[in-house]
Amino acid sequence: MHIPDGILPLPLTLGGYAASITICWLCIRAINKRQDPRADVPKAALLTSAFFVASLIHIPIPPASVHLVLNGLLGALLGVFAFPAILIGLFLQAVMFGHGGLTTLGVNGVILGLPALAAAGFFRLRTHGTSGHIPLPKRTAAFGFLAGFAGIGLSFLLFALILLTGLPTHLSAAAERSAILALGLAHLPLAIMEGLLTGLLAGFLLRVQPAILNGV
Amino acid sequence: MTAYSATDSSTAPFMHRWDPRMKLIGLLLLAFTFSFVTNPRVLPVMITLTLAMTAVSRYPFHLLLRRLRYPSLVILCLIILLPFISGLTPVVEWGRLTVTREGLQAAILVATRFFCIVTLAAVLLGTTPLLRTIKAMQALGLPSIMADMALLVVRYLEVLSADLRRMRIAMRLRGHVEQRRPWRNLPTLAWLTGSLILRGYERSQGVYNAMRLRGYGHAPVRSGEFTANRGDLLALAAICAAAGILIWLELTL
């Protein structure tokens, strides 16, 4: 779900940078309002490293294999640190592996980062509302699934919207529908798997280190 | 990607010694100018400029090929599909398949812009160590929270990769076999990812304490690490001129 360099026109790539810088500035402003903003930097950085490494694990889904994106889980655990963390991860992927792109860094940041922030909001809901009668482990797993699934689902919607509007040629309505359907079908198993994985992982972390679920 | 750089040597090619701040500005300026180009007649100029910069950098060709291998596969699908699914003017027809002129032009445009930008990025960023590039970004105004995070992420990527390798070996030694159906592997994968996250989380407290003991958050940030000489500024001016010429050609041809 990374858009490489060369596909999108200049207004979209510049717009992506403007949007990413604005969202990042808002996140950093929220972090700077904390009593000691630097205290959580190592925690956020090491978790980002762990996510980066975990995202390199490939899962075979015949006839191909997919790698985890984990933006929903990253949002759930890092909160406002998620957006800067995703931008850093995307930059490193572009520089180290050529995955994604430099001109599309802003757009890719929006595609993966905004859903991560949304996933953070969804995951926080597990401690609010009328779901108090459901046991905590089940609630945590259910909201973990929601965060993981929403992370990929929303990213896919943004990805398809930006890619199809940014192509340097006209696609017919039928071709656009087919492309969205094909991309959607290709990403649905990944969204379900990430949802299940995030749910299982949230349950695991609740058992062994519940403090980590309160966010950075 | 390991940076191929020889910044310590005064005889190293200019691209390796060029002030990383100027290099970053030049790279972004050229990359965005390339993404502005839509006129097919400007593409040869873009390719010539990219090849000239690659030659000047003396970046090893085999490293460049390795660098282009993975991204090329990603974009290949799009380049193959575009002539068939987009455009209105048919050029060639094979049964129900029609290749259109607009689709072909779009595929050539996307492929050229992609290879030029990725090659430039490989050559310019590959000739500076990654940590130095991050420090240059900080000097250009990247917030210190993000710069600190980026430096720590790079520092601990290798450590956590080694942890993951060890955990996977331990899993296999204890009899773990990957199931054919991917969802059967999910619980194991979740515990594995969870253990990796836990290791990072637990290590972070020690890292923070060590950083505090060394003055993190108290010592002033060094600001004079980079200095641009006349050669650095002239090289940036040349890049600006090249970008200006490309924009002029795009608007007038």
Side-chain angles (χ1 to χ4, degrees), chain B residues 195-209:
Chain B
S195 303
L196 194 67
I197 288 170
L198 273 179
R199 284 179 184 223
Y201 182 79
E202 283 162 3
R203 192 174 268 134
S204 69
Q205 198 52 50
V207 170
Y208 180 62
N209 290 338

Side-chain angles (χ1 to χ4, degrees), chain B residues 34-89:
Chain B
F34 286 178
S35 67
F36 174 66
V37 170
T38 52
N39 188 337
R41 278 178 284 187
V42 185
L43 298 183
V45 185
M46 221 164 85
I47 295 170
T48 310
L49 182 63
T50 307
L51 292 177
M53 290 195 66
T54 308
V56 167
S57 75
R58 288 196 240 159
Y59 190 73
F61 189 61
H62 70 277
L63 283 183
L64 184 62
L65 280 184
R66 199 195 303 166
R67 184 89 169 77
L68 288 171
R69 194 172 49 194
Y70 175 73
S72 310
L73 289 173
V74 175
I75 208 153
L76 200 61
C77 303
L78 193 66
I79 295 167
I80 291 170
L81 281 176
L82 273 179
F84 296 100
I85 61 167
S86 64
L88 300 166
T89 319

Side-chain angles (χ1 to χ4, degrees), chain B residues 225-248:
Chain B
E225 190 169 339
F226 299 99
T227 45
N229 59 29
R230 189 181 290 176
D232 295 329
L233 293 171
L234 276 176
L236 183 61
I239 295 281
C240 292
I245 291 169
L246 275 175
I247 293 168
W248 178 72

